[in-house]
Amino acid sequence: MDSVLLNTINGKYSDRPPVWYMRQAGRVLPSYMKLREKYTFRQMMNDPELAADVTLLPVYDLGTDAAILFSDILVIPDAMGMGLEFTDKGPVFNKPLKDSNNPLAELNPDPDKLNYIYDAIDAIIRKRPENTPLIGFCGGPLTVLVYMIQGLSTNHSFPDAVKFIYQNKKDTLKIIEIITELSVEYLKKQAEHKADVFQLFETHAGLIPSDLYKEMFLPSVKKLYKTAADLHLPFIFFPKGFGTALSTITPEHCDYAGIDWQTDIFYARKILNPEIGIQGNLDPRLLFADKKVISDKIESYIDFGKENKNWIFNLGHGFIPGIPFENALFLTEKIKNTDWKRN
Ligand code: CP3
């Protein structure tokens, strides 16, 4: 496939960085909002043809260099029988683990419950325009775990979940193992169905001290990466809020690290293992500013993009609801049309 993203990952550099966005399908596209009036999120995700169409919307509407599977990180606990509902206030579990006397007994992983997603991947591969790679994904072990324990996401510090981790370390390690096992299976199947790249969304990596993350969760990242590497599936790890702990990630954990908007990208490059590529890291909220501000900000990335030809442009977290579509489009075109001074 002749793709700027895949070529860049494989060391065949272009005159510009590839561009795609976390949460590029929902949230900013008028075409998505229109579909959302007719269908619920769950209906769109569960219907393979609809999910495929939504996956491809940003490729057509924004001109991104890749599509990311239209699904959610919480399909893993859903496939364990946790009773997931997507409400207006966000995802909610009927049986959060914090309310259970025997959390481990609540989990009944059934890998077949993920089969509808492989049908969606097949439909994407059939429908996608030429040279459009598909990014598959799953949630990082900590991020998935804290939703499972807390049950809902209105409080982003997940107080009961962090308390649970400290109070029930042994059970927590077992739950991490169960999450990891199903996620490994899920990753393998996504590769088998021809996803081209994989991203691990560890959105809540910053919730706990990094030494605890390293001890309890990083071995799970290593297992997932090993599975991907054995299948030659490029693997991007996005540990949001990891800060200076970026320096402890090694090529045993990922091919690329997604850098959040809190971290200076030059600093990230300095402390990150030189064999690991960088993806990131524009503050999505900058897209509420006017075009001149956006344009100047991209110009300020030129030095980085000139020196780092393996860089993948992305946001430092996903698109936010309310960002003007025209600014997202402007940004994409700006990335593609800027002279990155690589010759
Ligand atoms: O471009 C895409 O949107 C790709 C698909 C995708 C979704 N969620 C669709 C979705 C991806 C990659 C995710 C990841 C995800 N889901 C994360 C990690 C990344 C991040 O943004 O931090 C997390 C923490 C979740 C959990 C989740 N799912 C939350 C907190 C919510 C509530 C509202 C929201 O938009 O975040 C969801 C629901 C969800 N997932 C929606 C979409 C499009 C909104 C559903 C709706 O239209 O009501």
Side-chain angles (χ1 to χ4, degrees):
M1 190 188 295
D2 189 17
S3 133
V4 181
L5 177 67
L6 296 183
N7 287 347
T8 298
I9 290 173
N10 293 323
K12 221 176 117 193
Y13 302 130
S14 310
D15 55 5
R16 67 167 175 91
V19 49
W20 72 276
Y21 305 109
M22 295 186 275
R23 312 302 299 270
Q24 66 185 15
R27 294 184 166 175
V28 293
L29 302 182
S31 56
Y32 176 81
M33 313 300 180
K34 220 169 143 199
L35 277 171
R36 190 65 181 77
E37 285 168 15
K38 244 171 101 187
Y39 305 101
T40 65
F41 170 60
R42 191 61 109 142
Q43 282 172 327
M44 288 195 267
M45 183 173 87
N46 282 38
D47 179 318
E49 297 301 323
L50 254 177
D53 292 343
V54 175
T55 298
L56 296 172
L57 290 177
V59 175
Y60 294 116
D61 294 1
L62 287 171
T64 53
D65 291 313
I68 176 163
L69 174 66
F70 188 72
S71 183
D72 197 81
I73 63 165
L74 300 178
V75 298
I76 290 290
D78 192 38
M80 295 181 188
M82 285 200 61
L84 171 67
E85 273 175 56
F86 288 99
T87 70
D88 289 345
K89 293 198 191 90
V92 175
F93 288 108
N94 297 333
K95 293 184 274 180
L97 300 185
K98 72 174 166 60
D99 296 340
S100 173
N101 293 326
N102 187 0
L104 283 159
E106 308 286 346
L107 306 179
N108 303 297
D110 178 357
D112 287 344
K113 285 195 176 150
L114 298 166
N115 286 347
Y116 69 100
I117 301 172
Y118 313 130
D119 294 340
I121 295 179
D122 292 344
I124 297 162
I125 301 297
R126 175 165 41 81
K127 289 182 166 183
R128 68 180 169 185
E130 249 186 311
N131 300 322
T132 306
L134 173 64
I135 302 169
F137 71 93
C138 76
L142 173 61
T143 303
V144 172
L145 177 80
V146 295
Y147 276 100
M148 288 168 67
I149 298 172
Q150 193 77 36
L152 79 177
S153 64
T154 42
N155 185 338
H156 278 264
S157 57
F158 294 89
D160 301 311
V162 177
K163 187 163 127 193
F164 181 101
I165 294 171
Y166 280 116
Q167 286 182 331
N168 308 280
K169 191 161 173 183
K170 256 186 157 170
D171 275 359
T172 301
L173 286 168
K174 283 193 197 130
I175 301 167
I176 295 168
E177 223 178 279
I178 296 169
I179 295 170
T180 306
E181 201 180 313
L182 189 56
S183 302
V184 162
E185 176 67 21
Y186 185 45
L187 181 155
K188 274 189 193 160
K189 280 276 171 60
Q190 292 187 39
E192 203 178 288
H193 286 261
K194 300 278 183 277
D196 300 285
V197 178
F198 191 87
Q199 174 155 315
L200 191 67
F201 282 87
E202 191 65 293
T203 302
H204 297 297
L207 272 182
I208 60 171
S210 57
D211 59 344
L212 191 61
Y213 188 89
K214 270 178 258 170
E215 177 199 336
M216 295 182 73
F217 297 91
L218 213 51
S220 162
V221 176
K222 202 165 156 181
K223 266 185 215 157
L224 284 156
Y225 177 62
K226 170 94 174 59
T227 310
D230 287 348
L231 295 165
H232 307 288
L233 180 66
F235 186 93
I236 305 165
F237 177 39
F238 176 58
K240 186 168 181 294
F242 220 36
T244 50
L246 285 172
S247 65
T248 63
I249 300 173
T250 75
E252 283 191 304
H253 302 116
C254 57
D255 301 303
Y256 270 78
I259 306 302
D260 57 37
W261 52 261
Q262 286 94 334
T263 308
D264 177 81
I265 201 165
F266 285 96
Y267 182 70
R269 185 62 284 168
K270 213 180 280 171
I271 67 169
L272 191 65
N273 185 300
E275 287 177 43
I276 299 173
I278 279 187
Q279 171 178 281
N281 74 337
L282 187 81
D283 183 354
R285 296 161 302 181
L286 183 97
L287 295 168
F288 288 115
D290 61 42
K291 293 194 175 74
K292 171 84 170 84
V293 175
I294 298 169
S295 180
D296 288 351
K297 182 70 201 172
I298 297 312
E299 306 268 329
S300 80
Y301 273 101
I302 289 178
D303 284 344
F304 187 83
K306 190 169 69 179
E307 290 162 25
N308 296 281
K309 296 196 174 69
N310 63 348
W311 171 47
I312 301 169
F313 183 83
N314 205 310
L315 305 170
H317 194 188
F319 275 134
I320 289 172
I323 284 174
F325 168 74
E326 56 171 283
N327 285 3
L329 183 62
F330 176 80
L331 170 65
T332 316
E333 284 169 358
K334 178 78 191 165
I335 297 295
K336 290 182 164 181
N337 299 329
T338 292
D339 177 2
W340 292 93
K341 305 202 165 80
R342 287 184 171 182
N343 298 312

